Amino acid sequence: MSGYRVGVLGATGAVGSTVLRVLTERGFPVDELVPLASERSAGRRLEFAGGEVECLALSEESIQGLDIVISSAGGAISAEWAPRLIAAGAVVVDNTSFWRMHDDVPLVVSEVNPEAADSHRGLVANPNCSTMQMVVALKPIFDAVGIERLVISTYQSVSGTGQRAIEELRAQSSAVLAGDTPRPEVYPHPIAFNVLPHVETFKDGDDYTTEERKMMAETRKILGAGEDLGISATCVRVPVYGAHSESVNVQTREPLDPDACRELLSGAPGVVVLDKPADGVYPTATEVSGRDEVYVGRIRRDPSHERCLNVWIVGDNLRKGAATNAVQIAEQLHARGLVGTRTAA
Ligand SMILES: NC(=O)c1ccc[n+]([C@@H]2O[C@H](COP(=O)([O-])OP(=O)(O)OC[C@H]3O[C@@H](n4cnc5c(N)ncnc54)[C@H](OP(=O)(O)O)[C@@H]3O)[C@@H](O)[C@H]2O)c1
């Protein structure tokens, strides 16, 4: 055996299909790839490593003998199936929100807190996509001068909602251009040519969405910060296919000028600084789509506060925001001998 039996749960989805590509691109040691999805997808042929693999329906039988599973089939599936996968001998890297805030589950961004994965008890959680890209860019600032407060506005692509939302934007755009009024299905309002201040759900009477709450809670957990890190987030869905953009107002504990911030971020792992705005040089969603790094630009002083900077952060939500980080976690588990009993040669 030269590698692992790798399961990709949710293999037909927006994240899962990206996981299949990233595993190949990064040369993860896969001995056998087992794509898993719902009954609907059983028998579907999926591209993998220059060939095809047959998708299996998720079942007690299909999960046997897997060493590692990258799971992206929604929170309810992870809640039920992660314990079963672990019991069957797999380590689970979970892309859903279900396990992220459990005390005994490490929430890992490979450039930020890789050591947290060492304590895993069968499952490592992959953070929310908008949180993920933001903390990659903020970690160097947090370490150098501390962060007191973050005020965040996001501009999130439809691929963050999954395959159906990508199709909805395409269909609605054609409908609007043809002079029709589209009927929304995935979102509460049409997304084509529109901007929705509503990402995920308003739960239990909360006036913040679940996405906004995730950004606040997960950021603190990943950075190892407490409630003394103030965070306010407004998450917005925009008619963009791929990559989330974020405007972040960063209030540091010690002063940091824009040049020093640029220098700090230029040398940071997984970060690219693109910041000559007068020449039109700043990150945009279409340029960043398909890339693994997090891009930062428009670094400037907030004129209303001496210890505040404004930054513009863009990352591909399906890659660094989900699949790439999940595969990076798998690589770390492999490198540290944490994949379980059927260790690769
Ligand atoms: N999209 C992002 O940018 C992003 C980023 C980070 C995390 N996430 C999280 O990743 C998860 C997947 O998101 P996505 O955007 O890839 O969604 P998606 O495109 O809708 O894909 C969902 C996947 O789950 C599978 N699935 C659904 N019901 C299932 C069942 N009963 N049993 C087995 N598989 C089932 C689907 O299989 P079928 O094709 O057979 O229905 C499909 O492969 C979500 O929890 C999401 O919150 C997404």
Side-chain angles (χ1 to χ4, degrees), residues 107 198 217 273 284 340:
L107 182 62
H198 181 172
V273 174
T284 65

Side-chain angles (χ1 to χ4, degrees), residues 315-332:
D316 185 324
N317 50 290
L318 292 177
R319 292 187 68 97
K320 183 61 199 174
T324 301
N325 195 69
V327 175
Q328 287 172 313
I329 291 173
E331 289 169 352
Q332 281 164 24

Side-chain angles (χ1 to χ4, degrees), residues 9-15 37-38 40-41 58 72-75 77 95-96 100 129 159-163 317-318 321-322:
L9 174 53
T12 53
V15 175
S38 76
R40 294 178 289 274
S41 302
L58 177 64
S72 322
I77 299 292
N95 263 316
T96 78
R100 290 179 193 149
C129 42
S159 61
T161 313
Q163 209 60 54
N317 50 290
L318 292 177

Side-chain angles (χ1 to χ4, degrees), residues 134 149-153 230-234 246-251 308-311:
M134 185 181 73
R149 183 164 182 255
L150 298 167
V151 181
I152 306 156
S153 299
I231 310 179
S232 175
T234 303
E246 298 170 343
S247 166
V248 185
N249 183 268
V250 187
Q251 184 171 326
C308 278
L309 295 174
N310 283 307
V311 296

Side-chain angles (χ1 to χ4, degrees), residues 59-94:
S59 71
E60 201 56 51
E61 194 188 344
S62 62
I63 65 168
Q64 297 306 313
L66 297 170
D67 297 299
I68 186 159
V69 174
I70 299 179
S71 173
S72 322
I77 299 292
S78 278
E80 182 185 346
W81 285 88
R84 295 194 194 186
L85 287 160
I86 296 166
V91 176
V92 177
V93 180
D94 189 42

Side-chain angles (χ1 to χ4, degrees), residues 83-132:
R84 295 194 194 186
L85 287 160
I86 296 166
V91 176
V92 177
V93 180
D94 189 42
N95 263 316
T96 78
S97 59
F98 188 82
W99 298 100
R100 290 179 193 149
M101 293 309 295
H102 284 61
D103 284 342
D104 58 352
V105 171
L107 182 62
V108 174
V109 179
S110 66
E111 294 84 354
V112 178
N113 61 339
E115 66 292 340
D118 292 355
S119 64
H120 84 78
R121 294 160 71 175
L123 187 141
V124 180
N126 211 34
N128 162 267
C129 42
S130 34
T131 307
M132 180 102 68

